[in-house]
Every structure is written in C-alpha cells, then in structure tokens.
C-alpha cells in the first residue's frame, strides 16, 4: 500500500442522521512527493468563468473535476489524496457538497476538515476545496 490510512471510517456510520456516504481517515502517512493544490472552486480553469452559480452540488462536481485534472497534470491521481479541507458559505450546503464529493473520493479515505465561512473570494462561489496529495515513489 502506498499510503497508510489511520483509522479509516465512513460518514454513514459516524453521522447516520446526515445520510452521507464518505470514506475518510483520521490521518494519512504518505510517501513520495507532495502535491498541494490551492483551494479549487467551480471555475473553468482556462476561461476563469464562474460556473453553476447557486447550485452547491454542481459547484462541487466542477471543483472535483478541476482537482482531478490538476492532480493528473502534477503526475498524481485522486487515489493519492491525503487531506482535504472543505469550505462552505452556508451549513445548509454541506449535505449537497459532501454527497457529490463522496462520489469522487470513494475508497480514498483522506483526512478531512470542513469549515463554514462567511464568504469566499467571489460571492457566487459557495464551496471551495483544498487538497494535499502525493506523487508516489516509483515501485
């Protein structure tokens, strides 16, 4: 195994009342070169256009698509994510954000921190996700 996952869990067991299904870990011991991505949002990375205004779930999908693309450009992949930090501007967006994010992180078990913040860099953004991943050592 490339990374040692410390106390992996699923949110459906930890937070059954929230109807979430996210594979997370309390900690990850990683090997290889670190990749730190800045907070990603629902933005076309080529045109800088803001996408999916007012829809937390669709903003999360585009955000995760950007994360996947950037990790691949760095020589990594989604399965090598070690840590995520999720920022939402309203607690009511949390379920939609985590439902969508969980689809992209199924089986990954990263460490995760979620924060509710008053605003992000642009008022149309309601979710921002920051990622730390690794590029594994060659086998």
């Amino acid at each position: 195994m490339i990374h040692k996952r410390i106390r992996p869990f699923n949110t459906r067991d930890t937070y059954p009342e929230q109807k979430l299904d996210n594979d997370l870990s309390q900690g990850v011991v990683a090997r290889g070169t670190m990749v730190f991505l800045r907070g990603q949002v629902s933005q076309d990375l080529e045109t800088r256009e803001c996408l999916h205004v007012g829809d937390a779930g669709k903003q999360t999908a585009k955000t995760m698509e950007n994360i996947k693309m950037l990790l691949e450009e760095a020589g990594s992949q989604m399965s090598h994510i070690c840590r995520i930090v999720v920022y939402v501007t309203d607690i009511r967006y949390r379920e939609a954000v985590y439902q969508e994010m969980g689809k992209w992180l199924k089986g990954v078990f990263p460490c995760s921190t979620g924060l509710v913040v008053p605003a992000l860099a642009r008022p149309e953004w309601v979710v921002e996700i920051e990622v730390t991943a690794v590029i594994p050592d060659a086998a």
Side-chain angles (χ1 to χ4, degrees):
M1 178 177 272
I2 295 169
H3 319 299
K4 180 180 179 184
R5 309 293 175 164
I6 309 298
R7 298 179 185 255
F9 68 96
N10 187 285
T11 52
R12 73 176 165 268
D13 303 320
T14 308
Y15 309 106
E17 74 284 358
Q18 296 183 11
K19 298 180 182 86
L20 298 175
D21 183 16
N22 292 269
D23 293 332
L24 303 174
S25 292
Q26 297 297 334
V28 177
V29 179
R31 296 183 46 98
T33 303
M34 302 299 296
V35 177
F36 301 92
L37 295 184
R38 71 185 298 268
Q40 294 299 305
V41 294
S42 183
Q43 181 179 47
D44 183 302
L45 293 178
E46 302 302 323
T47 67
R48 304 294 184 237
E49 178 186 2
C50 295
L51 304 171
H52 312 299
V53 175
D55 188 322
K58 286 183 180 178
Q59 282 195 19
T60 304
K62 179 58 181 169
T63 298
M64 296 304 291
E65 180 184 312
N66 288 348
I67 288 168
K68 181 179 188 295
M69 180 178 58
L70 292 168
L71 287 177
E72 289 172 355
E73 288 178 17
S76 188
Q77 57 191 15
M78 298 294 278
S79 64
H80 299 307
I81 292 174
C82 298
R83 184 169 195 276
I84 59 173
V85 180
V86 181
Y87 304 89
V88 295
T89 58
D90 189 313
I91 192 67
R92 293 172 291 188
Y93 298 140
R94 186 175 186 276
E95 185 173 349
V97 167
Y98 278 76
Q99 290 284 359
E100 181 62 34
M101 189 177 66
K103 297 174 190 174
W104 293 78
L105 297 174
K106 185 56 81 185
V108 176
F109 298 96
C111 298
S112 175
T113 299
L115 301 165
V116 179
V117 296
L120 297 171
R122 291 190 174 154
E124 55 268 32
W125 292 333
V126 299
V127 59
E128 183 169 329
I129 301 173
E130 179 183 333
V131 168
T132 303
V134 300
I135 302 170
D137 295 330

